[in-house]
Amino acid sequence: MLKNSKSLILKLITALALSFSFVTALETTNNNSYTQTVQAARKMSKAERAAKRWIAMRESGGNYYARNGVCYGKYQLNIAYLKGNYSKKNQERTADRYVYGRYGSWVNAKNFWLTHHWY
């Protein structure tokens, strides 16, 4: 019985260690992609800034408080993406993360919008 208990405890400790290492690796990956997104947003070219502004005007007229169903703000992001933080700063950060993650650039997002009338 004691041998089985030690084996069970060892298995639990191993499982916890593996879970912890997985979570740590996932957080590191998420932080790295977030950092890359923020860095990309800071280094936007004129064309990127113009495309971002163009999308904002089409989506909300540039209004950070615009609402359309489950979409909110200047870029009409799904409210779930904003995670309860509707601030201008979070809208900008979340829009950049969404666009760079999905399209690679604001210019690409604008081109998609021109074809589909959404991004």
Side-chain angles (χ1 to χ4, degrees):
M1 174 94 173
L2 186 61
K3 189 173 184 178
N4 287 340
S5 295
K6 286 182 180 178
S7 176
L8 180 61
I9 290 171
L10 184 59
K11 287 178 183 176
L12 286 171
I13 291 171
T14 303
L16 284 170
L18 286 172
S19 296
F20 179 74
S21 64
F22 175 75
V23 168
T24 302
L26 186 60
E27 286 177 353
T28 301
T29 301
N30 286 343
N31 287 340
N32 286 342
S33 64
Y34 170 74
T35 302
Q36 290 169 349
T37 300
V38 170
Q39 288 171 346
R42 284 188 194 142
K43 297 177 184 176
M44 271 199 273
S45 68
K46 267 184 154 176
E48 286 290 292
R49 285 192 304 274
K52 184 176 182 178
R53 193 170 33 255
W54 186 92
I55 287 175
M57 294 308 291
R58 295 308 176 283
E59 291 294 318
S60 70
N63 182 356
Y64 282 105
Y65 306 102
R67 180 139 199 178
N68 183 13
V70 298
C71 296
Y72 184 84
K74 186 174 181 177
Y75 304 99
Q76 289 297 285
L77 300 164
N78 186 305
I79 57 174
Y81 297 165
L82 296 168
K83 299 179 180 172
N85 180 352
Y86 302 116
S87 70
K88 294 176 182 180
K89 184 176 180 178
N90 191 49
Q91 286 184 47
E92 295 291 336
R93 180 176 44 237
T94 303
D96 286 335
R97 188 178 307 138
Y98 170 75
V99 165
Y100 287 119
R102 182 174 175 128
Y103 302 103
S105 73
W106 281 98
V107 171
N108 292 344
K110 178 183 175 182
N111 289 334
F112 183 91
W113 198 103
L114 287 166
T115 303
H116 300 90
H117 302 286
W118 64 276
Y119 77 110

